[in-house]
Amino acid sequence: MSNINFNDQCVHVVFLGLPNVPGIAAEIFSALSEHSVSVSMVTQNTMRGGRSDLSFLLSKDRLDEMIPLCREVSEKVGGQGVSFATEVAAITVNLQSGANSADTLAKIFKALASVNANIEIINSTLESAICIVSLTRAREGLEALEKAFDGR
């Protein structure tokens, strides 16, 4: 039913407390683009008080250069800071077309919970679900997902 990918060479970057106005994300990603940074799994959450958090994944091999850049950009756009979670893994479950999303998500949540792998963030489409989990439980989570989806 699925193909599961594992990436433990990623960093979960979160721009915290950004002004929730048009153009902020454009400014952030324009700055990253100038440095040819590849990002994935972009997520924005609106919070109370006209602020939002914007997060994405980037490769660990770019972290040293991205920390000062992200902090500078956050300050420039009026953000409240940036966090960098390096002890995470992205587990992607690629789904066959026609898979029921509620059933699929329930299976993912149950499999990860069975090994006490807490999902820090999840992004789901009709084609895939990407789960960011702590490295301490990531391998167990991968095995549980493989068993749940492929019967291994």
Side-chain angles (χ1 to χ4, degrees), residues 2-83:
S2 66
N3 177 21
I4 300 173
N5 299 316
F6 183 84
N7 178 3
D8 62 356
Q9 295 303 304
C10 59
V11 177
H12 182 215
V13 179
V14 183
F15 279 75
L16 302 161
L18 296 169
N20 192 21
V21 297
I24 299 296
E27 199 158 339
I28 291 169
F29 290 105
S30 292
L32 295 172
S33 175
E34 289 175 13
H35 293 269
S36 301
V37 175
S38 179
V39 301
S40 63
M41 200 173 157
V42 177
T43 307
Q44 182 173 339
N45 299 308
T46 303
M47 303 175 345
R48 288 180 234 156
R51 295 280 172 176
S52 63
D53 289 347
L54 176 74
S55 68
F56 54 88
L57 298 178
L58 62 84
S59 177
K60 276 186 182 175
D61 65 358
R62 301 293 302 269
L63 181 61
D64 288 343
E65 114 187 62
M66 289 300 103
I67 289 174
L69 174 67
C70 289
R71 287 180 175 157
E72 177 184 317
V73 173
S74 176
E75 187 174 323
K76 180 179 177 186
V77 299
Q80 297 173 339
V82 185
S83 70

